[in-house]
Amino acid sequence: MGIINFLKGTYDGKVGATVGAKWKNKGTVRTYAVPANPNTPAQQTTRAGFAAISSFVALFADSIKRLTALDTRSMSVRNAIMSINKDMIASGTLTKASLVISKGGIPNVSSFVPMVPAGLANIKATWNKSNSPNLSNDAVLVVVAVDEDNKVAFVGSALQTEETITIPGPVAANAALDVYWYMLDFRGNSKVASNNGYAAIFAPNA
């Protein structure tokens, strides 16, 4: 509903097919436009995808704060990950397997194999070290294993030349783990990374 001021010859709000308002301290009038539907199917898909992946990423984002090369100068690690996945979120095509948590130009990790040994005490992984001259002696391999059902994540890193890592558990019996890994190298005060890999594994019964 609009309010008309007959003395000043102005009005505020909707009157008929027009809307009156102030802009830069001047009275303005424009044609009323019906607001866009804020709950279209496409927007519902985006919101649902955003909420689901946001809670998933929140399980490990803080733990990789110092182990990521993503640009986080003006945002959190979680928001940085959400940003680089926004197109897949909007299209409804994002899956845990396609989730990007690291991107870059250094060599990807070769022959990475994660597992949970009997006893469920930890997570282990092996890989082949890279002999690329583009990697320094300080390059590390970062591993992120997410147990979404039990709302826990396991994060660890090791020099890429070690070719093995053990990340302390305990891991729940029969847990489904989404495992991500990537190479991270240090160039002075900056960090560079590889694209991440992904595997789904299951913990044993005991």
Side-chain angles (χ1 to χ4, degrees):
M1 180 180 72
I3 299 175
I4 301 176
N5 187 323
F6 289 103
L7 296 178
K8 294 183 178 180
T10 63
Y11 64 87
D12 293 317
K14 183 176 180 293
V15 176
T18 62
V19 176
K22 276 194 172 184
W23 181 73
K24 293 187 176 180
N25 208 33
K26 294 181 179 180
T28 63
V29 178
R30 62 175 174 80
T31 302
Y32 175 74
V34 178
N37 181 0
N39 199 31
T40 64
Q43 288 169 320
Q44 290 178 31
T45 297
T46 299
R47 289 192 187 102
F50 185 92
I53 203 62
S54 179
S55 60
F56 179 80
V57 171
L59 294 174
F60 63 86
D62 287 344
S63 298
I64 65 170
K65 186 173 183 179
R66 292 178 176 81
L67 294 170
T68 181
L70 296 179
D71 184 1
T72 59
R73 287 173 295 180
S74 60
M75 65 182 77
S76 65
V77 175
R78 179 173 66 170
N79 286 345
I81 293 175
M82 301 299 290
S83 177
I84 60 177
N85 288 279
K86 63 183 179 181
D87 290 342
M88 287 190 288
I89 294 173
S91 65
T93 59
L94 182 64
T95 65
K96 293 177 184 176
S98 63
L99 176 68
V100 177
I101 70 168
S102 176
K103 58 187 300 187
I106 65 175
N108 293 336
V109 181
S110 174
S111 303
F112 184 88
V113 179
M115 65 173 294
V116 179
L120 307 170
N122 47 49
I123 299 168
K124 291 187 176 182
T126 60
W127 62 90
N128 291 340
K129 68 179 180 180
S130 172
N131 295 315
S132 171
N134 294 325
L135 292 179
S136 74
N137 293 330
D138 296 324
V140 297
L141 187 126
V142 181
V143 181
V144 178
V146 186
D147 179 354
E148 185 178 24
D149 292 336
N150 292 294
K151 301 292 186 290
V152 64
F154 308 90
V155 176
S157 64
L159 288 173
Q160 73 99 7
T161 54
E162 293 182 5
E163 298 185 290
T164 184
I165 188 173
T166 299
I167 304 173
V171 180
N174 299 311
L177 298 175
D178 296 287
V179 184
Y180 302 86
W181 62 90
Y182 54 91
M183 197 76 72
L184 182 69
D185 203 359
F186 303 87
R187 308 284 171 82
N189 293 326
S190 63
K191 293 177 284 189
V192 292
S194 70
N195 297 321
N196 65 269
Y198 169 84
I201 64 173
F202 294 89
N205 292 332

